[in-house]
Amino acid sequence: AESIAHALRSAAAGLSIVDSELQGRLVASVGTRPPVERPDDGLTPREVDVLRLIAAGLSNGEIARHLVVSEATVKTHVNHVFSKLGLRDRAQAVSYAYRTGLVQP
């Protein structure tokens, strides 16, 4: 009960709640992965955000709500990503995001 109360107080304060065993495994796995060098693809930071959210399976409407922008703005970013990377569709975008390390499996 005390552990649950502590977790609730921490969450209410905006702190992250991670089990200590899980935290140790996460830290260990981050230290053992080689860094992935992304190609200089010309994407802006916002376009990278949009690409990561596409790879997470979000629709344009969901991406717009997540980034607090209009759906038209998201569509513009998606079109720029596709154009800059020479992609035809979202499936290719997801593949690119994983291949280049923008998202981890």
Side-chain angles (χ1 to χ4, degrees):
E2 224 171 281
S3 176
I4 293 171
H6 174 71
L8 290 172
R9 283 191 298 277
S10 296
L15 300 174
S16 176
I17 317 284
V18 179
D19 177 70
S20 60
E21 181 183 337
L22 175 60
Q23 183 177 7
R25 289 181 12 212
L26 286 171
V27 168
S29 73
V30 169
T32 60
R33 284 189 188 158
V36 176
E37 270 196 50
R38 275 191 46 244
D40 182 12
D41 49 25
L43 297 179
T44 66
R46 182 57 98 184
E47 290 165 351
V48 170
D49 292 341
V50 169
L51 181 54
R52 283 186 174 126
L53 294 171
I54 289 171
L58 275 65
S59 68
N60 286 353
E62 292 167 327
I63 293 170
R65 285 188 292 283
H66 183 80
L67 298 177
V68 192
V69 297
S70 73
E71 196 166 341
T73 299
V74 171
K75 288 179 185 179
T76 299
H77 288 312
V78 170
N79 287 332
H80 288 166
V81 168
F82 287 6
S83 176
K84 287 180 179 181
L85 301 179
L87 305 174
R88 289 187 313 266
D89 54 36
R90 290 172 97 85
Q92 287 185 336
V94 171
S95 175
Y96 177 88
Y98 278 94
R99 273 193 336 268
T100 60
L102 282 175
V103 292
Q104 299 295 320

